């Protein structure tokens, strides 16, 4: 029998010199830059998640901080960088991919538990050391888990509102999206945004705590509430935004210049009055919330999509916390018109899939199709269908 061949598509850091496949990213300069910044801030360890400020499942290139820093492009992971160590935690879906993409600056930790990250940090960071992170990239639960993992260890969990990876990334970081935010035509929604706002305010009145405001952080929450769409994140029809809906006012935090004329007119049609949407710049949400929380108020939020950074602004006694905001709950229940639209979309998609299967039957026996050209073809069939805005995720092909 032949000797088993050594795999050359994954790194081998024990070889001399270490072997790196062509898919690995050289992160030496990036880490050196980040470590300089850590020293400036007096930080001993910095935690970098794979999320964005809205706890989105998918993120834009601009928010792919973990990918830029490590070279690892999987959708889930956490990195920790100290002055002399760097480690990446990810789950079993991505172990092989990580071995292909990481260089030898990185230790791969084959787990995702915060306990294991905490244990590693306690070994790597001296007593009295600072462990830092961007509080606007961590959920409330995740923040609390890190707090518990470091509690009583004489290490301090230090929130820093300046993102240190962004500083290191500098002007190489992709710019924010500038594409248009547009109104979804009434024929698709089944209810106007004014009706949706009235429904949410009714829920506020009926709640035993009588909240005075609802804070929306999830991108699909604001998109649904105002019947607006964008394309800031590939395959997801959303745009960067926050909403603070009070019993008498509506504040939408968004890059105003990107709203289509029609979208702007729709939002401003009820001005002045309780159905007037006041447009605020996206970056103003923290300052606005801080000011609002000084009053005699109760803010209702969904903990699943709210970051610790925003949560910490509101005094505990003025918070009404539930896993999901009332908007997320309302959005989950489709009205009759939305149900009809869903079925119609599935019929159109079925036509595209049947066209694709027929094309495969004719093309595969000729040996002229692979997974990539197949994915391009089904995308083309889908794009050709009426009302298509593209696929909802990149095609996942299998063979054999």
């Amino acid at each position: 029998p032949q000797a088993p061949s050594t795999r050359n598509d994954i790194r081998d850091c024990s070889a001399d010199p270490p072997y790196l496949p062509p898919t690995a990213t050289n992160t030496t300069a990036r880490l050196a830059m980040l470590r300089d910044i850590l020293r400036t801030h007096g930080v001993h360890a910095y935690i970098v998640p794979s999320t964005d400020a809205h706890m989105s499942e998918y993120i834009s290139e601009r928010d792919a901080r973990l990918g830029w820093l490590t070279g690892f492009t999987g959708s889930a992971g956490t990195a920790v960088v100290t002055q002399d160590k760097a480690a990446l935690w990810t789950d079993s879906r991505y172990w092989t991919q990580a071995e292909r993409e990481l260089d030898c600056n990185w230790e791969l930790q084959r787990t995702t538990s915060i306990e294991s990250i905490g244990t590693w940090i306690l070994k790597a960071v001296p007593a009295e050391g600072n462990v830092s992170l961007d509080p606007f990239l961590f959920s409330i639960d995740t923040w609390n888990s890190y707090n518990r993992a470091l509690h009583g260890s004489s290490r301090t969990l230090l929130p820093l509102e300046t993102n240190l990876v962004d500083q290191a990334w500098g002007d190489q970081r992709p710019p924010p999206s500038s594409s248009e935010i547009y109104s979804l035509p009434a024929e698709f929604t089944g209810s106007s945004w004014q009706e949706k706002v009235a429904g949410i305010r009714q829920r506020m009145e009926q709640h035993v705590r009588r909240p005075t405001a609802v804070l929306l952080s999830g991108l699909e929450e604001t998109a649904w509430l105002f019947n607006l769409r964008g394309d800031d994140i590939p395959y997801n029809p959303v745009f960067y935004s926050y909403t603070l809906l009070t019993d008498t006012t509506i504040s939408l935090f968004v890059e105003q210049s990107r709203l289509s004329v029609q979208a702007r007119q729709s939002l401003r049609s009820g001005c002045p009055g309780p159905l007037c949407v006041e447009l605020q710049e996206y970056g103003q949400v923290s300052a606005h919330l801080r000011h609002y929380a000084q009053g005699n108020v109760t803010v209702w939020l969904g903990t699943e999509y709210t970051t610790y950074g925003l949560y910490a602004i509101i005094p505990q006694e003025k918070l009404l916390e539930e896993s999901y905001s009332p908007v997320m709950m309302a959005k989950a229940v489709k009205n009759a018109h939305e149900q009809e639209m869903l079925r119609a979309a599935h019929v159109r998609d079925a036509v595209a899939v049947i066209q694709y299967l027929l094309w495969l039957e004719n093309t595969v026996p000729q040996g002229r199709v692979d997974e990539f050209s197949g994915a391009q073809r089904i995308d083309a069939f889908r794009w050709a269908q009426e009302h298509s805005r593209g696929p909802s995720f990149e095609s996942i092909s299998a063979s054999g």
Side-chain angles (χ1 to χ4, degrees):
Q2 288 186 313
S5 62
T6 54
R7 288 184 62 166
N8 63 358
D9 66 335
I10 63 173
R11 64 183 184 155
D12 182 357
C13 296
S14 63
D16 188 21
Y19 171 73
L20 292 178
T23 44
T25 299
N26 181 345
T27 62
T28 303
R30 297 171 189 185
L31 280 168
M33 209 159 0
L34 180 60
R35 283 172 172 145
D36 281 347
I37 294 167
L38 295 190
R39 270 194 294 275
T40 309
H41 286 270
V43 168
H44 298 91
Y46 193 62
I47 308 173
V48 183
S50 54
T51 52
D52 67 8
H54 303 272
M55 302 290 104
S56 308
E57 183 178 358
Y58 303 98
I59 57 171
S60 70
E61 280 185 15
R62 181 174 170 78
D63 285 317
R65 298 173 178 90
L66 185 81
W68 175 80
L69 182 66
T70 64
F72 170 69
T73 59
S75 68
T78 303
V80 181
V81 177
T82 68
Q83 281 305 333
D84 55 354
K85 288 190 173 71
L88 172 79
W89 284 256
T90 190
D91 65 72
S92 57
R93 291 173 298 170
Y94 293 120
W95 292 345
T96 304
Q97 181 178 339
E99 295 286 10
R100 288 174 178 155
E101 294 181 332
L102 298 175
D103 65 7
C104 291
N105 288 312
W106 293 90
E107 300 169 19
L108 175 61
Q109 304 287 332
R110 294 167 190 262
T111 167
T112 54
S113 80
I114 290 177
E115 291 76 27
S116 78
I117 300 174
T119 305
W120 187 94
I121 287 173
L122 292 180
K123 284 182 190 159
V125 173
E128 311 306 323
N130 288 327
V131 179
S132 208
L133 42 71
D134 178 344
F136 291 95
L137 293 181
F138 287 82
S139 70
I140 301 159
D141 279 354
T142 307
W143 170 275
N144 289 335
S145 299
Y146 279 113
N147 225 351
R148 280 194 298 273
L150 299 179
H151 183 71
S153 70
S154 76
R155 278 83 170 171
T156 306
L157 194 58
L158 184 71
L160 276 182
E161 294 196 8
T162 311
N163 189 289
L164 304 188
V165 174
D166 292 352
Q167 277 193 358
W169 204 347
D171 57 11
Q172 297 302 299
R173 187 178 174 211
S177 175
S178 57
S179 60
E180 187 175 72
I181 298 166
Y182 58 94
S183 288
L184 197 62
E187 64 189 277
F188 295 107
T189 61
S191 54
S192 68
W193 71 258
Q194 290 90 342
E195 289 166 333
K196 292 177 178 180
V197 164
I200 301 302
R201 281 179 169 155
Q202 196 176 356
R203 287 180 181 224
M204 289 161 67
E205 277 172 38
Q206 290 165 351
H207 198 287
V208 62
R209 291 268 315 269
R210 297 296 292 266
T212 59
V214 175
L215 174 65
L216 305 179
S217 292
L219 297 182
E220 62 269 42
E221 297 179 295
T222 289
W224 177 85
L225 185 64
F226 296 113
N227 293 333
L228 296 175
R229 298 292 185 268
D231 59 1
D232 291 11
I233 297 176
Y235 308 108
N236 291 260
V238 295
F239 51 92
Y240 287 105
S241 55
Y242 295 96
T243 300
L244 187 69
L245 171 64
T246 79
D247 37 18
T248 55
T249 63
I250 311 166
S251 299
L252 169 59
F253 300 87
V254 68
E255 207 54 59
Q256 297 177 36
S257 60
R258 296 178 50 204
L259 289 164
S260 71
V261 174
Q262 190 189 4
R264 189 181 288 262
Q265 283 170 347
S266 157
L267 296 171
R268 305 289 294 159
S269 59
C271 297
L275 285 173
C276 166
V277 180
E278 294 164 16
L279 298 172
Q280 314 258 8
E281 283 307 311
Y282 173 74
Q284 290 299 306
V285 65
S286 295
H288 187 94
L289 193 57
R290 194 169 278 117
H291 180 72
Y292 181 75
Q294 287 170 359
N296 181 21
V297 298
T298 303
V299 180
W300 191 359
L301 54 79
T303 54
E304 287 289 315
Y305 288 87
T306 308
T307 62
Y308 182 79
L310 282 183
Y311 171 82
I313 290 171
I314 307 160
Q316 203 63 43
E317 68 278 6
K318 296 180 180 182
L319 271 169
L320 166 56
E321 299 173 49
E322 290 180 2
S323 293
Y324 298 100
S325 77
V327 167
M328 210 52 120
M329 302 306 278
K331 180 173 95 65
V333 182
K334 305 302 178 194
N335 62 42
H337 188 71
E338 286 173 316
Q339 292 179 34
E340 194 187 317
M341 294 290 103
L342 278 168
R343 293 188 191 102
H346 277 283
V347 170
R348 293 195 299 275
D349 194 62
V351 171
V353 173
I354 291 164
Q355 289 174 322
Y356 177 58
L357 294 174
L358 179 64
W359 179 81
L360 281 181
E361 265 178 50
N362 292 331
T363 320
V364 170
Q366 300 165 21
R368 284 193 324 198
V369 59
D370 57 27
E371 285 90 338
F372 186 67
S373 62
Q376 289 179 305
R377 180 60 58 136
I378 194 168
D379 282 356
F381 283 132
R382 284 182 162 138
W383 270 115
Q385 288 296 322
E386 193 184 6
H387 306 308
S388 172
R389 306 290 303 205
S392 62
F393 56 87
E394 201 170 0
S395 283
I396 299 172
S397 297
S399 62

